[in-house]
Amino acid sequence: MTRERPAYHELGYGKDFGLSGLSERLAMAGSGTDPAAALGYAKELADGAEGDGAVELGEDARRLLAADLPERVLSAVWLASAGYAFAPGHYGMSCRGWLEKISELSTERLRENKRSYGPPPVRPVRDVRLCGAVVAEIQATAAALVRASELPQLVDALEKVVTGADGDLGMRLFLRALKTHSVPVPYGQYRRLQSLAEEFGFPAAVVHDGLDIAWPPVGANRQGVVQDFGLSRLARLFTAGWHHRTPRAAVENAMIGDGYERPPGSEAAITWEDTRRVLDSGLPDDTITVLWLAATDRGYNIDACGIGGREWLEQVVDVCEEHLTRVAPAYVPSASAASREERDAVLGEIRDIAPLAAGRVISPAFRPLEGTTVIDALEQVVTRVDPDLGFRLFLRTLEVLQLPVTEEQYSRYGRLGSHFQYGRDHLLFSVDHLVQRT
């Protein structure tokens, strides 16, 4: 974070906030909003989190007021960010006057919590490098913004807010302008905007939600994945305590877990390919059942429900295909061939841990699964299906069985994970806690 305070997401913000959050609410309300209604939306935002929403709202307004920007600049950025839903000038009010009302409303709300509250000095972000990066992104979309906007001075006004008032608020108002004008943003620029948002401490939704992103084609790539994915992630989500009315509903929910970095349908594509490989490999039904029960730590006991492993994975495939048809109808499955070196490396790690697994049991009190049975099933996945999937299920099994891992083993797992292009937190959130560090 660039300021001497916690990042916004650490303060509990999960979406847009402050003045940009207010402009979003007004844009959603539509044109013709009058001053009373606009102030009503401001009060709702200020009331959020027992009044804490007023902190950012008031400070945002005061940052703009303190910068002494011309009325034309304030008016342009406000109208663009609010989607022209509320124009103060239509009601005989200047934009500066509107900002003063927001500041006063925020102060009054905070005094309900603490009578002695007084607005602190504004704390603008003036970091030259960071502000320059925001200006560069504004310039990258300048032509599209000019074409889409009714305000020919908008680009210049946005830059003046960033450089003359506050880079943090300027970045958020720029994002609002992109959204209200439906400016397509190339994927590469979207990634840059998310990196900037991380530096400002914004929640990822501030960039993502409502932005017209030109996504690359959906594929089973791992770009943007930081933790587990595919069939191994799905199994993890079925650990005891999953909350869905039906197993199918749980799978449907899992398929929307693309996050903010990946094209819609990415998780379904990876899960489809994992699952399809297992089904096409000819693995015995009992082996597939063991793999699922082990990876879920018997969180969903398909055997107790009279469902075979192959039947269950066919249901998973159906859900993936339905989701892909809706969000990524042009998706084409990818084909990849595993090398012998990959198979040997993963098999080596499984066999290295096998003696420890032989003494463990999954679900000892209900239809126990012997560790040796699980290890045998994992070896079959590696040799007959895919070493990458086999390694992910192996890591999941280590977690379920709570097997101790040496630092040397963990280092090897890290190298294998890098080879398979796993995200930076894949091992951290699966087996890091099992490492026996000296």
Side-chain angles (χ1 to χ4, degrees), residues 333-391:
S334 61
S336 60
S339 68
R340 179 166 185 167
E341 290 76 13
E342 290 172 338
R343 287 193 291 270
D344 290 347
V346 177
L347 280 175
E349 299 303 340
I350 293 174
R351 289 167 179 169
D352 188 48
I353 211 79
L356 283 176
R360 302 292 178 92
V361 177
I362 294 174
S363 182
F366 177 75
R367 300 193 181 192
L369 286 175
E370 300 291 338
T372 51
T373 303
V374 178
I375 291 296
D376 177 67
L378 288 171
E379 290 193 11
Q380 290 189 59
V381 174
V382 174
T383 56
R384 299 177 59 176
V385 183
D386 177 44
D388 168 22
L389 175 58
F391 187 55

CSV table of all heavy atoms in Angstrom, one decimal, residues 333-391:
chain,number,residue,atom,x,y,z
A,333,PRO,N,-10.9,-28.1,-26.6
A,333,PRO,CA,-10.0,-28.8,-25.7
A,333,PRO,C,-8.5,-28.9,-26.2
A,333,PRO,O,-8.3,-28.9,-27.4
A,333,PRO,CB,-10.6,-30.2,-25.5
A,333,PRO,CG,-12.0,-30.0,-26.0
A,333,PRO,CD,-12.0,-29.0,-27.0
A,334,SER,N,-7.6,-28.8,-25.3
A,334,SER,CA,-6.2,-28.9,-25.7
A,334,SER,C,-5.7,-30.3,-25.5
A,334,SER,O,-6.3,-31.0,-24.7
A,334,SER,CB,-5.3,-27.9,-24.9
A,334,SER,OG,-5.4,-28.2,-23.5
A,335,ALA,N,-4.7,-30.6,-26.2
A,335,ALA,CA,-4.1,-32.0,-26.1
A,335,ALA,C,-2.6,-31.8,-25.7
A,335,ALA,O,-1.9,-31.0,-26.3
A,335,ALA,CB,-4.2,-32.7,-27.4
A,336,SER,N,-2.2,-32.6,-24.7
A,336,SER,CA,-0.8,-32.5,-24.3
A,336,SER,C,-0.3,-33.9,-23.9
A,336,SER,O,-1.1,-34.7,-23.4
A,336,SER,CB,-0.7,-31.6,-23.0
A,336,SER,OG,-1.5,-32.1,-22.0
A,337,ALA,N,0.9,-34.2,-24.2
A,337,ALA,CA,1.5,-35.5,-24.0
A,337,ALA,C,2.5,-35.4,-22.9
A,337,ALA,O,3.4,-34.5,-22.9
A,337,ALA,CB,2.1,-36.0,-25.3
A,338,ALA,N,2.4,-36.3,-21.9
A,338,ALA,CA,3.3,-36.3,-20.8
A,338,ALA,C,4.6,-37.0,-21.2
A,338,ALA,O,4.6,-37.9,-22.0
A,338,ALA,CB,2.7,-37.0,-19.6
A,339,SER,N,5.7,-36.5,-20.7
A,339,SER,CA,7.0,-37.2,-20.9
A,339,SER,C,7.3,-38.3,-19.9
A,339,SER,O,6.7,-38.3,-18.8
A,339,SER,CB,8.1,-36.1,-20.9
A,339,SER,OG,8.3,-35.7,-19.5
A,340,ARG,N,8.2,-39.2,-20.3
A,340,ARG,CA,8.6,-40.2,-19.4
A,340,ARG,C,9.2,-39.7,-18.2
A,340,ARG,O,9.1,-40.2,-17.1
A,340,ARG,CB,9.5,-41.2,-20.1
A,340,ARG,CG,10.0,-42.4,-19.2
A,340,ARG,CD,10.6,-43.5,-20.0
A,340,ARG,NE,10.9,-44.6,-19.1
A,340,ARG,CZ,11.2,-45.8,-19.5
A,340,ARG,NH1,11.2,-46.0,-20.9
A,340,ARG,NH2,11.5,-46.8,-18.7
A,341,GLU,N,10.0,-38.6,-18.4
A,341,GLU,CA,10.7,-38.0,-17.2
A,341,GLU,C,9.7,-37.5,-16.2
A,341,GLU,O,9.9,-37.6,-15.0
A,341,GLU,CB,11.6,-36.8,-17.7
A,341,GLU,CG,12.8,-37.3,-18.5
A,341,GLU,CD,12.5,-37.7,-19.9
A,341,GLU,OE1,11.3,-37.4,-20.4
A,341,GLU,OE2,13.3,-38.3,-20.6
A,342,GLU,N,8.6,-36.9,-16.7
A,342,GLU,CA,7.6,-36.4,-15.8
A,342,GLU,C,6.9,-37.5,-15.0
A,342,GLU,O,6.8,-37.5,-13.8
A,342,GLU,CB,6.5,-35.6,-16.5
A,342,GLU,CG,6.9,-34.3,-17.1
A,342,GLU,CD,5.9,-33.7,-18.0
A,342,GLU,OE1,5.0,-34.4,-18.5
A,342,GLU,OE2,6.0,-32.4,-18.2
A,343,ARG,N,6.6,-38.6,-15.7
A,343,ARG,CA,6.0,-39.8,-15.0
A,343,ARG,C,7.0,-40.3,-14.0
A,343,ARG,O,6.5,-40.6,-12.8
A,343,ARG,CB,5.7,-40.9,-16.0
A,343,ARG,CG,4.4,-40.5,-16.9
A,343,ARG,CD,4.0,-41.7,-17.6
A,343,ARG,NE,4.9,-42.2,-18.7
A,343,ARG,CZ,4.9,-41.7,-19.9
A,343,ARG,NH1,4.0,-40.9,-20.3
A,343,ARG,NH2,5.8,-42.2,-20.8
A,344,ASP,N,8.2,-40.5,-14.3
A,344,ASP,CA,9.2,-41.1,-13.4
A,344,ASP,C,9.4,-40.2,-12.2
A,344,ASP,O,9.5,-40.7,-11.0
A,344,ASP,CB,10.5,-41.3,-14.1
A,344,ASP,CG,10.5,-42.4,-15.1
A,344,ASP,OD1,9.5,-43.2,-15.1
A,344,ASP,OD2,11.4,-42.5,-16.0
A,345,ALA,N,9.4,-38.9,-12.4
A,345,ALA,CA,9.6,-37.9,-11.3
A,345,ALA,C,8.5,-38.0,-10.3
A,345,ALA,O,8.7,-38.1,-9.1
A,345,ALA,CB,9.8,-36.5,-11.8
A,346,VAL,N,7.3,-38.0,-10.8
A,346,VAL,CA,6.1,-38.0,-9.9
A,346,VAL,C,6.0,-39.4,-9.2
A,346,VAL,O,5.7,-39.5,-8.0
A,346,VAL,CB,4.8,-37.7,-10.6
A,346,VAL,CG1,3.6,-37.8,-9.7
A,346,VAL,CG2,4.9,-36.3,-11.2
A,347,LEU,N,6.2,-40.5,-10.0
A,347,LEU,CA,6.2,-41.8,-9.3
A,347,LEU,C,7.3,-41.9,-8.2
A,347,LEU,O,7.0,-42.5,-7.2
A,347,LEU,CB,6.5,-42.9,-10.4
A,347,LEU,CG,5.3,-43.3,-11.3
A,347,LEU,CD1,5.7,-44.3,-12.4
A,347,LEU,CD2,4.2,-43.9,-10.4
A,348,GLY,N,8.4,-41.3,-8.5
A,348,GLY,CA,9.5,-41.4,-7.5
A,348,GLY,C,9.0,-40.7,-6.2
A,348,GLY,O,9.3,-41.2,-5.1
A,349,GLU,N,8.3,-39.6,-6.2
A,349,GLU,CA,7.9,-38.9,-5.0
A,349,GLU,C,6.8,-39.7,-4.3
A,349,GLU,O,6.7,-39.8,-3.1
A,349,GLU,CB,7.3,-37.5,-5.3
A,349,GLU,CG,8.4,-36.6,-6.0
A,349,GLU,CD,9.6,-36.4,-5.1
A,349,GLU,OE1,9.5,-36.7,-3.9
A,349,GLU,OE2,10.7,-36.0,-5.6
A,350,ILE,N,5.9,-40.3,-5.1
A,350,ILE,CA,4.8,-41.2,-4.5
A,350,ILE,C,5.4,-42.4,-3.8
A,350,ILE,O,5.1,-42.7,-2.6
A,350,ILE,CB,3.8,-41.6,-5.6
A,350,ILE,CG1,3.0,-40.4,-6.1
A,350,ILE,CG2,2.8,-42.6,-5.0
A,350,ILE,CD1,2.1,-40.7,-7.3
A,351,ARG,N,6.4,-43.0,-4.4
A,351,ARG,CA,7.0,-44.2,-3.8
A,351,ARG,C,7.9,-43.9,-2.7
A,351,ARG,O,8.1,-44.7,-1.7
A,351,ARG,CB,7.8,-45.0,-4.9
A,351,ARG,CG,6.8,-45.6,-5.9
A,351,ARG,CD,7.5,-46.1,-7.2
A,351,ARG,NE,6.5,-46.8,-8.1
A,351,ARG,CZ,6.8,-47.1,-9.3
A,351,ARG,NH1,8.0,-46.9,-9.9
A,351,ARG,NH2,5.9,-47.7,-10.1
A,352,ASP,N,8.4,-42.7,-2.7
A,352,ASP,CA,9.3,-42.2,-1.5
A,352,ASP,C,8.4,-42.1,-0.3
A,352,ASP,O,8.9,-42.3,0.8
A,352,ASP,CB,9.9,-40.9,-1.9
A,352,ASP,CG,11.0,-40.5,-0.9
A,352,ASP,OD1,11.8,-41.3,-0.5
A,352,ASP,OD2,10.9,-39.3,-0.5
A,353,ILE,N,7.2,-41.7,-0.4
A,353,ILE,CA,6.3,-41.5,0.7
A,353,ILE,C,5.5,-42.7,1.1
A,353,ILE,O,4.8,-42.7,2.1
A,353,ILE,CB,5.4,-40.2,0.5
A,353,ILE,CG1,5.1,-39.5,1.8
A,353,ILE,CG2,4.1,-40.6,-0.2
A,353,ILE,CD1,6.2,-38.6,2.3
A,354,ALA,N,5.5,-43.7,0.2
A,354,ALA,CA,4.6,-44.9,0.4
A,354,ALA,C,4.8,-45.6,1.7
A,354,ALA,O,3.8,-46.0,2.3
A,354,ALA,CB,4.8,-45.8,-0.8
A,355,PRO,N,6.0,-45.8,2.2
A,355,PRO,CA,6.1,-46.4,3.5
A,355,PRO,C,5.4,-45.7,4.7
A,355,PRO,O,4.8,-46.4,5.5
A,355,PRO,CB,7.6,-46.4,3.8
A,355,PRO,CG,8.2,-46.4,2.4
A,355,PRO,CD,7.3,-45.5,1.6
A,356,LEU,N,5.4,-44.4,4.6
A,356,LEU,CA,4.7,-43.6,5.7
A,356,LEU,C,3.2,-43.8,5.5
A,356,LEU,O,2.4,-43.9,6.4
A,356,LEU,CB,5.0,-42.2,5.6
A,356,LEU,CG,6.4,-41.7,6.2
A,356,LEU,CD1,6.6,-40.2,6.0
A,356,LEU,CD2,6.4,-42.0,7.7
A,357,ALA,N,2.7,-43.8,4.2
A,357,ALA,CA,1.3,-43.9,3.9
A,357,ALA,C,0.7,-45.2,4.3
A,357,ALA,O,-0.4,-45.4,4.7
A,357,ALA,CB,1.0,-43.6,2.4
A,358,ALA,N,1.6,-46.3,4.3
A,358,ALA,CA,1.1,-47.6,4.6
A,358,ALA,C,0.6,-47.7,6.0
A,358,ALA,O,-0.2,-48.6,6.3
A,358,ALA,CB,2.3,-48.6,4.4
A,359,GLY,N,1.1,-46.9,6.9
A,359,GLY,CA,0.6,-46.9,8.3
A,359,GLY,C,-0.5,-46.0,8.6
A,359,GLY,O,-0.9,-45.9,9.7
A,360,ARG,N,-1.1,-45.4,7.5
A,360,ARG,CA,-2.2,-44.5,7.8
A,360,ARG,C,-3.5,-45.0,7.1
A,360,ARG,O,-3.5,-45.7,6.2
A,360,ARG,CB,-1.9,-43.1,7.2
A,360,ARG,CG,-0.6,-42.5,7.8
A,360,ARG,CD,-0.8,-42.1,9.2
A,360,ARG,NE,0.4,-41.5,9.8
A,360,ARG,CZ,0.7,-40.2,9.8
A,360,ARG,NH1,-0.2,-39.4,9.3
A,360,ARG,NH2,1.8,-39.8,10.4
A,361,VAL,N,-4.6,-44.5,7.7
A,361,VAL,CA,-6.0,-44.8,7.2
A,361,VAL,C,-6.8,-43.6,7.0
A,361,VAL,O,-6.8,-42.7,7.9
A,361,VAL,CB,-6.7,-45.8,8.1
A,361,VAL,CG1,-8.1,-46.2,7.6
A,361,VAL,CG2,-5.8,-47.1,8.2
A,362,ILE,N,-7.5,-43.5,5.9
A,362,ILE,CA,-8.5,-42.4,5.7
A,362,ILE,C,-9.8,-42.8,6.2
A,362,ILE,O,-10.3,-43.9,5.9
A,362,ILE,CB,-8.6,-42.0,4.2
A,362,ILE,CG1,-7.3,-41.4,3.8
A,362,ILE,CG2,-9.7,-41.0,4.0
A,362,ILE,CD1,-7.2,-41.1,2.3
A,363,SER,N,-10.4,-42.0,7.1
A,363,SER,CA,-11.8,-42.3,7.6
A,363,SER,C,-11.8,-43.7,8.4
A,363,SER,O,-12.5,-44.6,8.0
A,363,SER,CB,-12.8,-42.3,6.5
A,363,SER,OG,-14.1,-42.5,7.1
A,364,PRO,N,-11.0,-43.8,9.4
A,364,PRO,CA,-10.9,-45.1,10.1
A,364,PRO,C,-12.2,-45.6,10.7
A,364,PRO,O,-12.5,-46.8,10.9
A,364,PRO,CB,-9.8,-44.9,11.2
A,364,PRO,CG,-9.8,-43.4,11.4
A,364,PRO,CD,-10.1,-42.8,10.0
A,365,ALA,N,-13.1,-44.6,11.0
A,365,ALA,CA,-14.4,-45.0,11.7
A,365,ALA,C,-15.5,-45.3,10.7
A,365,ALA,O,-16.5,-45.8,11.2
A,365,ALA,CB,-14.8,-43.8,12.6
A,366,PHE,N,-15.4,-45.0,9.4
A,366,PHE,CA,-16.4,-45.2,8.5
A,366,PHE,C,-15.8,-45.7,7.2
A,366,PHE,O,-15.2,-44.9,6.5
A,366,PHE,CB,-17.3,-44.0,8.3
A,366,PHE,CG,-18.4,-44.2,7.3
A,366,PHE,CD1,-19.5,-44.9,7.6
A,366,PHE,CD2,-18.3,-43.6,6.0
A,366,PHE,CE1,-20.5,-45.0,6.7
A,366,PHE,CE2,-19.3,-43.8,5.1
A,366,PHE,CZ,-20.4,-44.5,5.4
A,367,ARG,N,-16.1,-46.9,6.8
A,367,ARG,CA,-15.5,-47.5,5.6
A,367,ARG,C,-14.1,-47.0,5.3
A,367,ARG,O,-13.8,-46.2,4.4
A,367,ARG,CB,-16.4,-47.0,4.4
A,367,ARG,CG,-17.9,-47.5,4.5
A,367,ARG,CD,-18.6,-47.3,3.2
A,367,ARG,NE,-20.0,-47.8,3.3
A,367,ARG,CZ,-20.8,-48.0,2.3
A,367,ARG,NH1,-20.4,-47.7,1.1
A,367,ARG,NH2,-22.1,-48.4,2.5
A,368,PRO,N,-13.2,-47.5,6.1
A,368,PRO,CA,-11.8,-47.0,6.1
A,368,PRO,C,-11.1,-47.3,4.7
A,368,PRO,O,-11.4,-48.3,4.1
A,368,PRO,CB,-11.1,-47.7,7.2
A,368,PRO,CG,-12.0,-48.9,7.4
A,368,PRO,CD,-13.4,-48.5,7.2
A,369,LEU,N,-10.3,-46.3,4.3
A,369,LEU,CA,-9.4,-46.5,3.1
A,369,LEU,C,-8.0,-46.6,3.6
A,369,LEU,O,-7.4,-45.7,4.2
A,369,LEU,CB,-9.6,-45.3,2.2
A,369,LEU,CG,-10.9,-45.1,1.4
A,369,LEU,CD1,-10.8,-43.8,0.7
A,369,LEU,CD2,-11.0,-46.2,0.4
A,370,GLU,N,-7.4,-47.8,3.3
A,370,GLU,CA,-6.0,-48.0,3.6
A,370,GLU,C,-5.1,-47.1,2.8
A,370,GLU,O,-5.3,-46.9,1.6
A,370,GLU,CB,-5.6,-49.4,3.4
A,370,GLU,CG,-6.4,-50.4,4.3
A,370,GLU,CD,-6.1,-50.3,5.7
A,370,GLU,OE1,-5.0,-49.8,6.1
A,370,GLU,OE2,-7.0,-50.7,6.6
A,371,GLY,N,-4.0,-46.6,3.4
A,371,GLY,CA,-3.1,-45.7,2.7
A,371,GLY,C,-2.4,-46.4,1.5
A,371,GLY,O,-2.2,-45.8,0.5
A,372,THR,N,-2.2,-47.7,1.6
A,372,THR,CA,-1.6,-48.5,0.5
A,372,THR,C,-2.5,-48.5,-0.7
A,372,THR,O,-2.1,-48.5,-1.8
A,372,THR,CB,-1.2,-49.9,0.9
A,372,THR,OG1,-2.4,-50.5,1.6
A,372,THR,CG2,-0.1,-49.9,1.9
A,373,THR,N,-3.8,-48.6,-0.4
A,373,THR,CA,-4.8,-48.6,-1.5
A,373,THR,C,-4.8,-47.3,-2.3
A,373,THR,O,-4.9,-47.3,-3.5
A,373,THR,CB,-6.2,-48.9,-1.0
A,373,THR,OG1,-6.2,-50.2,-0.3
A,373,THR,CG2,-7.2,-49.0,-2.1
A,374,VAL,N,-4.7,-46.2,-1.5
A,374,VAL,CA,-4.7,-44.9,-2.1
A,374,VAL,C,-3.4,-44.7,-3.0
A,374,VAL,O,-3.4,-44.2,-4.1
A,374,VAL,CB,-4.8,-43.8,-1.1
A,374,VAL,CG1,-4.7,-42.4,-1.7
A,374,VAL,CG2,-6.1,-44.0,-0.3
A,375,ILE,N,-2.3,-45.1,-2.4
A,375,ILE,CA,-1.0,-45.0,-3.1
A,375,ILE,C,-1.0,-45.7,-4.4
A,375,ILE,O,-0.6,-45.2,-5.5
A,375,ILE,CB,0.2,-45.5,-2.3
A,375,ILE,CG1,0.4,-44.6,-1.1
A,375,ILE,CG2,1.5,-45.6,-3.1
A,375,ILE,CD1,0.9,-43.2,-1.4
A,376,ASP,N,-1.6,-46.9,-4.4
A,376,ASP,CA,-1.7,-47.7,-5.7
A,376,ASP,C,-2.6,-47.0,-6.7
A,376,ASP,O,-2.2,-47.0,-7.9
A,376,ASP,CB,-2.3,-49.1,-5.4
A,376,ASP,CG,-2.5,-49.9,-6.6
A,376,ASP,OD1,-1.5,-50.3,-7.2
A,376,ASP,OD2,-3.7,-50.2,-7.0
A,377,ALA,N,-3.7,-46.4,-6.2
A,377,ALA,CA,-4.5,-45.6,-7.2
A,377,ALA,C,-3.8,-44.4,-7.7
A,377,ALA,O,-3.9,-44.1,-8.9
A,377,ALA,CB,-5.8,-45.2,-6.4
A,378,LEU,N,-3.0,-43.8,-6.9
A,378,LEU,CA,-2.2,-42.6,-7.4
A,378,LEU,C,-1.2,-43.0,-8.5
A,378,LEU,O,-1.1,-42.3,-9.5
A,378,LEU,CB,-1.5,-41.9,-6.2
A,378,LEU,CG,-2.4,-41.1,-5.3
A,378,LEU,CD1,-1.6,-40.7,-4.1
A,378,LEU,CD2,-3.0,-39.9,-5.9
A,379,GLU,N,-0.6,-44.1,-8.3
A,379,GLU,CA,0.4,-44.6,-9.2
A,379,GLU,C,-0.3,-44.9,-10.6
A,379,GLU,O,0.3,-44.6,-11.7
A,379,GLU,CB,1.1,-45.9,-8.7
A,379,GLU,CG,2.1,-45.6,-7.6
A,379,GLU,CD,3.0,-46.8,-7.3
A,379,GLU,OE1,3.0,-47.7,-8.1
A,379,GLU,OE2,3.7,-46.7,-6.3
A,380,GLN,N,-1.5,-45.4,-10.5
A,380,GLN,CA,-2.2,-45.7,-11.8
A,380,GLN,C,-2.6,-44.4,-12.5
A,380,GLN,O,-2.5,-44.4,-13.7
A,380,GLN,CB,-3.5,-46.5,-11.4
A,380,GLN,CG,-3.3,-47.9,-11.0
A,380,GLN,CD,-4.6,-48.7,-10.9
A,380,GLN,OE1,-5.3,-48.9,-11.9
A,380,GLN,NE2,-4.9,-49.2,-9.7
A,381,VAL,N,-2.9,-43.4,-11.7
A,381,VAL,CA,-3.2,-42.1,-12.4
A,381,VAL,C,-2.0,-41.6,-13.1
A,381,VAL,O,-2.0,-41.1,-14.3
A,381,VAL,CB,-3.7,-41.0,-11.3
A,381,VAL,CG1,-3.8,-39.7,-12.0
A,381,VAL,CG2,-5.0,-41.4,-10.7
A,382,VAL,N,-0.8,-41.7,-12.5
A,382,VAL,CA,0.4,-41.2,-13.0
A,382,VAL,C,0.8,-41.9,-14.3
A,382,VAL,O,1.2,-41.3,-15.3
A,382,VAL,CB,1.6,-41.2,-12.0
A,382,VAL,CG1,2.9,-40.8,-12.7
A,382,VAL,CG2,1.3,-40.3,-10.8
A,383,THR,N,0.7,-43.2,-14.3
A,383,THR,CA,1.1,-44.1,-15.4
A,383,THR,C,0.1,-44.2,-16.5
A,383,THR,O,0.4,-44.3,-17.7
A,383,THR,CB,1.5,-45.5,-14.9
A,383,THR,OG1,0.4,-46.1,-14.2
A,383,THR,CG2,2.7,-45.4,-14.0
A,384,ARG,N,-1.2,-44.1,-16.2
A,384,ARG,CA,-2.2,-44.3,-17.2
A,384,ARG,C,-3.0,-43.1,-17.6
A,384,ARG,O,-3.7,-43.1,-18.6
A,384,ARG,CB,-3.2,-45.4,-16.7
A,384,ARG,CG,-2.5,-46.7,-16.4
A,384,ARG,CD,-3.5,-47.8,-15.8
A,384,ARG,NE,-4.6,-48.0,-16.7
A,384,ARG,CZ,-5.6,-49.0,-16.5
A,384,ARG,NH1,-5.5,-49.7,-15.4
A,384,ARG,NH2,-6.6,-49.2,-17.3
A,385,VAL,N,-3.0,-42.0,-16.8
A,385,VAL,CA,-3.8,-40.8,-17.1
A,385,VAL,C,-2.9,-39.7,-17.3
A,385,VAL,O,-2.7,-39.2,-18.5
A,385,VAL,CB,-4.7,-40.5,-15.9
A,385,VAL,CG1,-5.6,-39.3,-16.3
A,385,VAL,CG2,-5.6,-41.7,-15.6
A,386,ASP,N,-2.3,-39.1,-16.3
A,386,ASP,CA,-1.5,-37.9,-16.5
A,386,ASP,C,-0.7,-37.6,-15.2
A,386,ASP,O,-1.2,-37.5,-14.1
A,386,ASP,CB,-2.5,-36.7,-16.7
A,386,ASP,CG,-1.8,-35.4,-16.8
A,386,ASP,OD1,-0.8,-35.3,-17.5
A,386,ASP,OD2,-2.3,-34.4,-16.2
A,387,PRO,N,0.6,-37.5,-15.3
A,387,PRO,CA,1.5,-37.2,-14.1
A,387,PRO,C,1.2,-35.9,-13.4
A,387,PRO,O,1.3,-35.8,-12.2
A,387,PRO,CB,2.9,-37.2,-14.7
A,387,PRO,CG,2.8,-37.0,-16.1
A,387,PRO,CD,1.5,-37.6,-16.5
A,388,ASP,N,0.8,-34.9,-14.2
A,388,ASP,CA,0.4,-33.6,-13.6
A,388,ASP,C,-0.8,-33.8,-12.7
A,388,ASP,O,-0.8,-33.4,-11.5
A,388,ASP,CB,0.1,-32.6,-14.7
A,388,ASP,CG,-0.6,-31.3,-14.2
A,388,ASP,OD1,-0.4,-31.0,-13.0
A,388,ASP,OD2,-1.2,-30.7,-15.0
A,389,LEU,N,-1.9,-34.4,-13.1
A,389,LEU,CA,-3.0,-34.6,-12.3
A,389,LEU,C,-2.7,-35.6,-11.1
A,389,LEU,O,-3.1,-35.4,-10.0
A,389,LEU,CB,-4.2,-35.3,-13.1
A,389,LEU,CG,-5.4,-35.7,-12.3
A,389,LEU,CD1,-6.0,-34.5,-11.6
A,389,LEU,CD2,-6.5,-36.3,-13.2
A,390,GLY,N,-1.8,-36.6,-11.4
A,390,GLY,CA,-1.4,-37.5,-10.4
A,390,GLY,C,-0.7,-36.8,-9.3
A,390,GLY,O,-0.8,-37.1,-8.1
A,391,PHE,N,0.2,-35.8,-9.6
A,391,PHE,CA,0.9,-35.1,-8.6
A,391,PHE,C,0.0,-34.2,-7.8
A,391,PHE,O,0.2,-34.1,-6.6
A,391,PHE,CB,2.0,-34.2,-9.3
A,391,PHE,CG,3.0,-33.5,-8.4
A,391,PHE,CD1,3.7,-34.3,-7.4
A,391,PHE,CD2,3.2,-32.2,-8.4
A,391,PHE,CE1,4.5,-33.7,-6.5
A,391,PHE,CE2,4.0,-31.5,-7.6
A,391,PHE,CZ,4.7,-32.3,-6.6
